[in-house]
Amino acid sequence: MTRSEQLFEAAQKVMPGGVNSPVRACRSVGTYPRFLDRGLGSHVWDVDGKEYIDLIGSWGPLILGHCCDAVEQAVGEAIRKGLSFGAPTAAEVDMAELVCEMTGIDMVRMVNSGTEAVMSALRLARGATGRSKIIKFAGCYHGHTDAMLVKAGSGALTGGAPDSAGVPAEIAGDTLTASYNDLPSVEALLKANSGQVAAVIVEPVAANMGVVPPQPGFLEGLRRLCDENGTLLIFDEVITGFRLAPGGAQEYYGVRADLVTYGKIIGGGMPVGAYGGSRKLMEQVAPLGPVYQAGTLSGNPVAMAAGLAQLRILKSTPEIYENLDRRGAMLEKGLKQALSGIPAQVNRVGSLLTVFFTESPVTSYDAARSSDLTQFRRWYLGLLEQGIYSAPSQFEAMFLCNAHTDAEIQRIIDCAGKIFWQEEYL
Ligand code: KE4
């Protein structure tokens, strides 16, 4: 029995599924999770001492890699001054000023996770518009706040149904579900619920159905439809924020949202989320305005130190984005060649990639769901066996970081080229 298996056995006795977040349990790929012990740069080591090239990077936060010197040093300095005060600190001002400068928003509020950022942004949108309905997209994930754990209802143009136990039907009823990359589906919902939709929330690049880029005109179309209907546009940039460009998807695609949510990279590996937008909207938030939101550890000085150190490097080193895109393109091209003998699609935006095991191009959630999950399982296990640590679900992304080298990208390609053809992986 490996140490990971021993730990997993113990973990399952005291934690649901043995994990603190479901995807980590590796249930969809039918293996036990490898418990990790440490990371450095683009590598991680499990508790049995096996080394991997890391393609998860904590699900996105570690765009500079594990144990980035500047981040570690900043955290070390902050810790020695105290872990938390529950009072304003200079670091929060520095962080807010930097986020507004990088993203072009007027004001930002720090919270402790992407979920909390989305929950707060939705409340603000409802408070600011006086409307209660929200449009989301099937296959997009925005954290686990009740209003987002909703699937399309029976009547396509009416409110949704709970997608989790514990979500009241009344709450689900106010969430409408459209289809990603399908503007007419949004238009129809806005028309059928005229004057009632507070916001449309979208992952500007869908990454929780696997990576599905926005089709040309999709984001621009959402902007137009929201303007025509007095509906706010919310970009959930928990994944894309500070990853696609310093200004995230707003900069990358040249489309401005009314509210934006952040997480992951903004915390440098520490628990940080944020939401922001125009001054007019953000001044509706307590203590200035009537929309209440609060948090004991919001703006925590240690978390701010980590996030600030990472964002400052991203802001001051634009070549990082060129490197991420170049290596992403190298991996995309190499994987397409390595997998050319089987039905597979490689979707990529910058440093975000997903391999879908299906014949047809994946431009929608339905197309993503046509993937062969048995093939995906072989893919995941074949990579893991060869020392490549990737997402244990077809509907997630691979995340490149600035510490990945060309040689490591080539190694990933070489490993991919063995899985479906070499005996030991069949
Ligand atoms: P958190 O509450 O996990 O910090 O953020 C929720 C969230 C919000 N919006 C988007 C677009 C997200 O991708 C996420 C969380 N991402 C998942 C990975 N797809 C986190 C991994 C996990 O759930 O363990």
Side-chain angles (χ1 to χ4, degrees):
M1 206 178 193
T2 66
R3 180 77 181 121
S4 276
E5 289 173 291
Q6 290 168 352
L7 284 169
F8 191 42
E9 196 171 281
Q12 290 176 89
K13 294 183 179 123
V14 286
M15 290 185 278
V19 291
N20 282 311
S21 198
V23 71
R24 305 178 192 172
C26 296
R27 294 172 73 90
S28 68
V29 287
T31 185
Y32 60 91
R34 274 47 176 187
F35 281 59
L36 296 189
D37 175 57
R38 66 188 179 92
L40 182 63
S42 57
H43 288 229
V44 288
W45 286 258
D46 69 19
V47 293
D48 292 284
K50 182 167 181 172
E51 182 175 357
Y52 304 87
I53 295 174
D54 183 10
L55 286 175
I56 297 184
S58 183
W59 297 98
L62 304 178
I63 193 169
L64 298 180
H66 295 269
C67 294
C68 166
D69 288 344
V71 174
E72 303 272 303
Q73 185 178 337
V75 169
E77 287 167 11
I79 279 177
R80 282 188 286 280
K81 296 169 71 180
L83 291 179
S84 181
F85 306 110
T89 61
E92 292 163 84
V93 182
D94 294 343
M95 172 66 99
E97 288 176 342
L98 182 57
V99 168
C100 291
E101 183 187 353
M102 290 175 77
T103 65
I105 61 178
D106 293 339
M107 297 186 101
V108 65
R109 169 61 63 85
M110 293 292 143
V111 293
N112 302 281
S113 70
T115 293
E116 200 181 346
V118 167
M119 177 176 71
S120 308
L122 293 175
R123 184 179 309 129
L124 174 55
R126 285 167 159 161
T129 61
R131 300 177 177 184
S132 61
K133 293 190 186 301
I134 300 287
I135 292 175
K136 76 176 290 286
F137 293 87
C140 284
Y141 176 68
H142 304 286
H144 62 88
T145 190
D146 281 355
M148 294 292 99
L149 294 182
V150 174
K151 60 191 173 200
S154 53
L157 299 182
T158 58
D163 202 15
S164 163
V167 174
E170 299 74 26
I171 288 183
D174 273 337
T175 302
L176 309 167
T177 302
S179 302
Y180 190 78
N181 276 333
D182 176 356
L183 282 171
S185 73
V186 183
E187 196 156 14
L189 286 173
L190 286 166
K191 188 174 178 194
N193 299 273
S194 179
Q196 302 174 61
V197 180
V200 172
I201 185 167
V202 67
E203 291 180 62
V205 173
N208 286 287
M209 54 177 86
V211 174
V212 177
Q215 291 290 295
F218 178 62
L219 299 177
E220 296 81 353
L222 292 180
R223 181 67 276 169
R224 171 178 55 79
L225 288 171
C226 286
D227 291 340
E228 290 169 358
N229 289 272
T231 294
L232 297 177
L233 178 58
I234 301 175
F235 273 5
D236 178 353
E237 293 223 50
V238 168
I239 284 183
T240 58
F242 313 104
R243 175 167 287 277
L244 299 189
Q250 290 193 106
E251 176 183 342
Y252 192 81
Y253 290 105
V255 176
R256 304 292 302 174
D258 297 299
L259 288 172
V260 196
T261 57
Y262 297 109
K264 299 182 193 283
I265 289 172
I266 196 172
M270 298 291 283
V272 179
Y275 64 103
S278 68
R279 184 173 307 281
K280 179 169 181 278
L281 276 173
M282 293 302 290
E283 289 185 343
Q284 303 281 319
V285 177
L288 266 186
V291 178
Y292 193 73
Q293 179 268 313
T296 302
L297 295 174
S298 296
N300 172 273
V302 178
M304 291 298 101
L308 267 170
Q310 179 149 275
L311 292 188
R312 281 169 173 156
I313 290 172
L314 292 173
K315 178 177 180 289
S316 63
T317 326
E319 58 268 27
I320 286 177
Y321 293 96
E322 293 156 22
N323 287 339
L324 287 170
D325 192 56
R326 182 179 61 77
R327 292 201 179 102
M330 180 184 168
L331 183 56
E332 175 189 1
K333 182 179 178 204
L335 289 179
K336 283 178 176 174
Q337 286 167 350
L339 298 172
S340 58
I342 58 167
Q345 308 293 323
V346 181
N347 281 9
R348 176 181 77 91
V349 179
S351 55
L352 295 169
L353 298 95
T354 296
V355 176
F356 293 97
F357 293 93
T358 183
E359 286 283 357
S360 47
V362 179
T363 57
S364 70
Y365 183 41
D366 285 344
R369 287 194 297 178
S370 73
S371 302
D372 179 334
L373 299 185
T374 303
Q375 284 286 74
F376 178 81
R377 180 173 181 274
R378 289 168 59 186
W379 160 256
Y380 174 79
L381 294 173
L383 288 178
L384 192 68
E385 180 62 30
Q386 299 181 80
I388 314 290
Y389 191 75
S390 68
S393 163
Q394 171 67 88
F395 308 109
E396 296 286 357
M398 289 187 273
F399 297 85
L400 293 185
C401 74
N402 195 49
H404 283 115
T405 63
D406 286 11
E408 288 172 342
I409 299 298
Q410 189 53 54
R411 172 157 158 65
I412 296 164
I413 294 164
D414 296 343
C415 291
K418 296 175 186 172
I419 296 172
F420 296 100
W421 289 279
Q422 282 190 210
E423 195 57 37
E424 62 264 49
Y425 305 115
L426 293 181

